[in-house]
Every structure is written in structure tokens, then in C-alpha cells.
Amino acid sequence: MPPTPVRIGGRSHLAYELHVTSLRPADVSLLSVQVLDADSGAILSELRDADLQARIGRPGLPFDKPDKQLLSPGTRAVVFFWMPVQDDARMPKRLRHRLEFDLLRTSGRERIEMHSAPLQVQALAPLVLGAPLRGGPWVALYDPTLMGGHRTSIYTMDGRARIPARYAIDFVRLGEDASRARGDVAEIGNWHGYGAEVLAVADSVVADAADDMTEAPELGASSGPLPLENHSGNYVTLDLGGGRFAFYEHLKHGSVRVKVGERITRGQVIGLLGNSGSSSSGPHLHFHVSDANAAHGAEGQPYTFERFSVVGAYDTIGAHTTGEPWKPMRAPGGGARTRELPAANSVVRFD
């Protein structure tokens, strides 16, 4: 996927991946990666040390590999960028990358620097969508640096590797006291968001839907690992046109109100929020947009919501799950937002 500008938290961001494969016969240690404006030469971002370690994924290796920057012969590292751009007026048209690494020869280390080929920044504006839910507050749960999270999960289907949920968000309804549920959180029926109406984000056609998965009444009451094809639980997929598809996952059993091939309108209720499929974090709506009618065999595409309000934020996903109150947010980060994607772990209301 080429980097495509999308506004998040009042600033444009570029999300993309840099794949680094070593064809050397000896080990190499990746030391730093700089992102440059290919035309002006200006340095836009630099990753090294702990920052670089946190952004590297190693396909085929454990997430907790102690030195993810060390590449043995024939292995690959994927550097995941989620990069804010300081000035929208100076959005680069092309990127170039400067990599610094040590070649670990038997005779000692040899410092090497290399440059990548220029990479075009896609000028196409992201889709502008209506709200998938009503009211709030809703916490927009995601972490662009979490290994194994939405942003970094690579799926290989039909011989091609993709990241379908590159821009995915899990929406969890909160009480005004920041609670997730009324009473015992183990009972999914107690959750504030359980059964909330889920809305079509655009005039569209139903491309796919399923409503045959039951839900355990309590969190963690699973009968065992789910096959990949059941991870989405009960779901609806909308064909938004232009090769873009919206995915709604983990819907309540028996709640889907639309059928494949049906034309629907923006704001129409398509189902209810539930806890079906791979939904260990509790009742929530998983939402993302990709370029094919396939939950895992597609590339995640950027999108924005036409209008929402930011009322607060959590520092981390963990802060939300422990029941801490969110931090109130005022301008410039808070208040009404238009044509943006909610920032990671922000607390929002849909008008």
C-alpha cells in the first residue's frame, strides 16, 4: 500500500510499511531508518534505538524476540510507519529512506548506509463516511505500534501478504463514569454498548453478511480456538463503490437486518453491537475499510468520519481495560472534528 495522507487528531498522517530483507551471507544489524522528502531532502522522521525496536515486526518470529533489529541471512524485517506530518502545506510528493546498519563480519563490524528508491505518496483523498454508531461516549481502541494488533497483523491469503485492518478501530461504549458495564463486566449483557444500533456509513450495497454465530453469555466462555473464517463473528460488509468495502464485525446474534444485494442508505440500522466471533475484549464494534470483499484477503484503506466530537482520551489501551477514567481533552485536540479518523484511544461522541 502506498502511503496515503489521512487526518488524525488534527494532523495529517502517513501509514505504510517498509520491508527490509537481507540477502547478505552474514548477519546485519539495522541501526536507524530515516524518512526523507525525496525532492527537498528534508528529514521527516527518524527511528533508532528503542523507537526503532518498537516499530519492527519480524514475520515468522515471536513478537518478543529480544533483538528484532538483527537480521540473519535471508530474513526480513517490516518497519511499520504511522507518521505525523508537521505541515500539511508541505506534504511530500515522494519519500526516500536512508538505512544505516552494521554488517557483522567475522573480522568485525562494518558500518553501511544505503538509500531506498523513491516512493510516491498517494494524492487520493480518503473516503468520508457517516457515523457507524450513535451518541457516546465511545472509546476508539487501537494502537498503531502494537505488535499483533490491527495495524501490524499480516495475513497471507492465496499467496499474497496483506494488512486488512491497517486502519481498523474497535468501538467500546462507556458510561459517563468511564465504566464499560453496569455491574459485573463478565456478563456481556451488562455492557453499555451491547445491543446498540449499528449504522450504515454510506449509501451502499450489502456485499456480504452472516448472522449464524451464537454468543457466550459471559466473557472468556469460549469452547476453544476459533478457525480464522469465524473470527469476524456475525458481520456485515458494505460495497461503498470505487473498490472500497466497509466491514462491521462481532454483531449480536440474530440482529442483522440486511441481506446480500440489498441497497441501503446512510444512517440505516444494519444490526446490533454484540460479542460474536473473536471478541475477547468484550462487546464492541470492529470497523475497517479495505479494497476487496474479503475479511483477511484485502488491503486496509484509509477513511475518515464526516463529523464527531472528541471529549477525552486514554494514554493506552491498558488504561481503558483497567477501568481508569479518561483524560478530558479540550481544543486543539478536543471538540468538534470533521473529516478525520479518531486518534488512538480517543473518547468520542457521534452527533
Side-chain angles (χ1 to χ4, degrees):
M1 270 292 299
T4 305
V6 58
R7 288 191 68 78
I8 305 171
R11 298 172 65 183
S12 289
H13 287 64
L14 296 174
Y16 65 99
E17 300 80 50
L18 181 70
H19 290 246
V20 183
T21 304
S22 174
L23 303 181
R24 292 277 190 167
D27 291 347
V28 299
S29 180
L30 182 61
L31 302 178
S32 69
V33 179
Q34 285 185 339
V35 185
L36 311 175
D37 183 322
D39 297 306
S40 71
I43 299 174
L44 304 176
S45 179
E46 181 173 11
L47 296 176
R48 61 171 59 247
D49 302 326
D51 290 336
L52 179 58
Q53 180 83 352
R55 296 298 184 97
I56 291 180
R58 296 298 305 275
L61 297 176
F63 293 136
D64 59 353
K65 186 180 187 299
D67 186 0
K68 293 189 288 185
Q69 296 164 239
L70 183 66
L71 279 71
S72 55
T75 60
R76 175 180 298 190
V78 180
V79 185
F80 295 95
F81 286 98
W82 190 271
M83 185 177 70
V85 178
Q86 299 294 338
D87 185 352
D88 284 345
R90 297 185 178 181
M91 178 64 65
K93 295 181 179 179
R94 301 186 306 160
L95 305 178
R96 187 184 291 274
H97 298 82
R98 179 189 295 139
L99 283 73
E100 186 180 39
F101 57 93
D102 278 348
L103 178 62
L104 307 184
R105 298 185 183 277
T106 55
S107 57
R109 288 177 174 257
E110 178 185 348
R111 184 66 49 86
I112 296 177
E113 182 182 290
M114 64 168 288
H115 289 255
S116 72
L119 172 65
Q120 197 76 26
V121 174
Q122 188 164 264
L124 187 65
L127 288 173
V128 180
L129 304 175
L133 297 157
R134 289 194 181 99
W138 298 92
V139 57
L141 290 178
Y142 68 97
D143 181 348
T145 65
L146 178 64
M147 292 300 148
H150 292 144
R151 165 77 183 92
T152 60
S153 291
I154 301 173
Y155 291 86
T156 304
M157 311 290 289
D158 302 322
R160 181 175 170 185
R162 303 175 179 89
I163 301 178
R166 185 178 279 106
Y167 299 92
I169 295 178
D170 285 344
F171 288 103
V172 176
R173 181 73 180 261
L174 300 174
E176 295 297 340
D177 60 353
S179 64
R180 292 167 289 167
R182 299 170 294 273
D184 187 359
V185 296
E187 300 288 336
I188 66 169
N190 289 343
W191 284 57
H192 298 302
Y194 188 70
E197 292 183 332
V198 174
L199 312 177
V201 293
D203 295 347
S204 51
V205 177
V206 179
D208 201 359
D211 194 11
D212 55 359
M213 288 192 66
T214 59
E215 301 166 286
E218 296 183 356
L219 294 183
S222 172
S223 58
L226 283 173
L228 184 61
E229 59 269 23
N230 290 341
H231 277 202
S232 301
N234 303 310
Y235 66 89
V236 172
T237 307
L238 302 183
D239 185 346
L240 305 174
R244 299 293 185 268
F245 296 81
F247 290 80
Y248 301 77
E249 301 180 2
H250 313 308
L251 301 180
K252 183 179 179 181
H253 180 227
S255 76
V256 174
R257 302 183 186 179
V258 294
K259 297 180 180 179
V260 175
E262 181 180 348
R263 292 187 175 275
I264 60 175
T265 58
R266 174 173 156 164
Q268 181 175 336
V269 177
I270 61 175
L272 303 180
L273 185 148
N275 194 53
S276 58
S278 180
S279 181
S280 59
S281 59
H284 68 275
L285 174 67
H286 170 105
F287 182 86
H288 75 264
V289 174
S290 65
D291 64 358
N293 181 16
H296 300 99
E299 288 285 12
Q301 302 290 311
Y303 59 93
T304 61
F305 293 120
E306 184 175 47
R307 185 181 299 109
F308 60 91
S309 297
V310 178
V311 297
Y314 290 97
D315 289 333
T316 64
I317 290 178
H320 155 72
T321 57
T322 57
E324 296 178 27
W326 69 75
K327 295 180 178 179
M329 186 178 293
R330 297 176 178 84
R337 317 302 299 180
T338 57
R339 299 193 170 209
E340 287 192 2
L341 190 71
N345 309 314
S346 58
V347 180
V348 304
R349 295 182 187 272
F350 291 106
D351 300 326

